[in-house]
Amino acid sequence: MKPEPLPPGSAIGILGGGQLGRMLALAAAEMGLSVHIYAPPGDNPAADIAKDATLAAWDDEASLARFAEAVEIVTYEFENVPEATARFLAARRPVHPSPDVLAVAQDRLAEKTMAGALGIAVAPFMPVDSGANLAVALARIPPPAILKTRRLGYDGKGQARIDRAEDASAAWAAVGGAPSILEARVAFATEISVLVARGADGAMIAYDVTENRHEGGILHTSTVPANVPAAIAQEAVGIAERIAVALDHVGVLAVELFVAADSAGAPRLLFNELAPRVHNSGHWTTDACLASQFEQHIRAVAGWPLADPRRHSDATMENLIGADAGRWAEIASEPGARLHLYGKAEARPGRKMGHVNRIRPRT
Ligand code: AMP
């Protein structure tokens, strides 16, 4: 069904107050829409530039009800919003993507099971609920492996590498004994991601596939074009589109994949995880495409036509983490560099403070 587009002047509610919300708010402002941020009190860089902000707990139903009254639709910039919060709001206003999508994305076991059910290849995995269970799982999925908490993991947090069977109890302690999955470690050649946007009417666009490098579990750079064969890039886009359709997703969806090798040495894609929102690996779209992932997400959730995602330049995005942001003056004077800072108060180690898009002529 084709939704009625939200007219300029309407208010969009965004759950979460981080940098993704800030960049969504900037994009919404360019479209004449206003943003109301809902986030727990703290350092909320999105609230600095939004028209309205409610700083309250995720379970504060009176504040949530007032927030719902003040906006036309609700979306989120952070997938660890409690599912109950999303459901409370969905009873009052349209929430995109739906709380059902949020529930899948919050649980590594659910997302990998969903991918497997769609016939998408994933690294061998097994759920683990106890130390004894981990020993059983390691007999089926021998080291090298990774133990990952099912919930609330990000930027390499909630993960423990298992190089030898003897590492099992240390790994179980490292994840705090939380329900987890054991996953075979993939000897990947490259990590890539795909960003698609899907409207409530089923229309879809895809950005060019991005090549990602991580350092210490945190995304360091994203480069387009990705150095992968065209057929692999096309297959990756097809996987992301299949997931978006299966979830009846509305908004931007990011899908992260490993490019590994099959037994004959040919490249082979393995699904890693999804994010039901704009994603760090899509930040280059702001400066290298006709329309950014942020505009695309706002358009999708507001029922506007999706924008042309065409890429006019090659680009490398570098995250500015912790003290890296101290290089701002040097980066600001670099030709071809577009600097984005998030206005965060304190540059703690591991904290994403900003990013720079280095733009090159399209090859
Ligand atoms: P994740 O939070 O699952 O995206 O993991 C963060 C990063 O850890 C990934 O981007 C990879 O660089 C690495 N990683 C995660 N899972 C695996 C795996 N099964 N094999 C090899 N590296 C992995």
Side-chain angles (χ1 to χ4, degrees):
M1 196 185 68
K2 231 181 167 56
E4 275 299 305
L6 272 189
S10 309
I12 296 185
I14 297 180
L15 305 175
Q19 65 269 16
L20 300 178
R22 180 177 169 104
M23 292 183 273
L24 285 168
L26 288 168
E30 283 194 315
M31 297 164 63
L33 296 162
S34 72
V35 161
H36 187 145
I37 297 291
Y38 189 105
D43 193 3
N44 285 302
D48 294 346
I49 59 150
K51 182 163 180 239
D52 294 294
T54 299
L55 302 183
W58 292 125
D59 61 357
D60 178 345
E61 292 193 349
S63 295
L64 286 170
R66 275 196 302 275
F67 168 74
E69 280 294 308
V71 300
E72 302 293 331
I73 57 154
V74 175
T75 187
Y76 41 89
E77 60 104 51
F78 169 63
E79 74 266 31
N80 288 323
V81 170
E83 190 187 330
T85 304
R87 296 213 183 274
F88 180 89
L89 292 167
R92 291 160 175 80
R93 286 287 182 267
V95 174
H96 300 304
S98 76
D100 294 341
V101 177
L102 193 65
V104 171
Q106 285 178 345
D107 181 352
R108 289 186 190 274
L109 180 59
E111 66 184 4
K112 291 201 194 252
T113 304
M114 180 264 318
L118 291 175
I120 298 165
V122 295
F125 69 93
M126 278 181 73
V128 170
D129 296 319
S130 68
N133 210 212
L134 175 57
V136 172
L138 276 167
R140 296 264 300 275
I141 301 174
I146 303 191
L147 187 65
K148 301 178 175 180
T149 56
R150 284 174 57 176
R151 294 178 171 276
L152 299 174
Y154 69 99
D155 288 348
K157 296 188 174 69
Q159 296 194 7
R161 294 161 70 96
I162 300 181
D163 293 320
R164 304 163 308 153
E166 301 86 275
D167 299 341
S169 52
W172 184 242
V175 300
S180 295
I181 60 168
L182 179 73
E183 200 177 292
R185 207 142 85 218
V186 177
F188 56 79
T190 320
E191 288 188 80
I192 60 172
S193 55
V194 186
L195 287 118
V196 295
R198 184 169 180 273
D201 60 351
M204 259 197 290
I205 62 89
Y207 285 101
D208 286 351
V209 168
T210 310
E211 181 173 339
N212 302 319
R213 282 180 206 280
H214 293 78
E215 279 184 9
I218 305 181
L219 183 66
H220 179 53
T221 58
S222 291
T223 299
V224 274
N227 184 21
V228 293
I232 284 287
Q234 213 177 356
E235 190 184 331
V237 169
I239 287 173
E241 289 178 343
R242 257 153 70 206
I243 294 174
V245 170
L247 292 174
D248 197 13
H249 185 83
V250 176
V252 166
L253 172 76
V255 175
E256 295 184 76
L257 301 144
F258 298 123
V259 186
D262 68 13
S263 50
R268 170 169 186 251
L269 288 172
L270 294 173
F271 168 88
N272 180 26
E273 63 175 352
L274 62 84
R277 53 164 170 80
V278 289
H279 192 257
N280 195 168
S281 68
H283 287 1
W284 56 271
T285 58
T286 307
D287 299 312
C289 294
L290 292 182
S292 73
Q293 62 165 345
F294 305 103
E295 172 172 349
Q296 209 71 259
H297 184 80
I298 298 290
R299 281 181 176 239
V301 301
W304 286 33
L306 299 178
D308 183 346
R310 206 173 332 157
R311 181 169 63 80
H312 51 69
S313 300
D314 290 358
T316 297
M317 186 275 329
E318 180 191 346
N319 268 335
L320 301 175
I321 294 170
D324 292 347
R327 285 162 32 214
W328 63 268
E330 179 196 323
I331 295 168
S333 64
E334 197 185 308
R338 296 267 301 127
L339 176 65
H340 301 263
L341 295 173
Y342 307 150
K344 291 187 183 174
E346 201 193 334
R348 288 194 294 273
R351 193 165 197 219
K352 291 175 179 168
M353 302 301 293
H355 66 271
V356 52
N357 288 329
R358 296 195 169 88
I359 302 300
R360 302 177 293 277
R362 199 182 153 126
T363 48

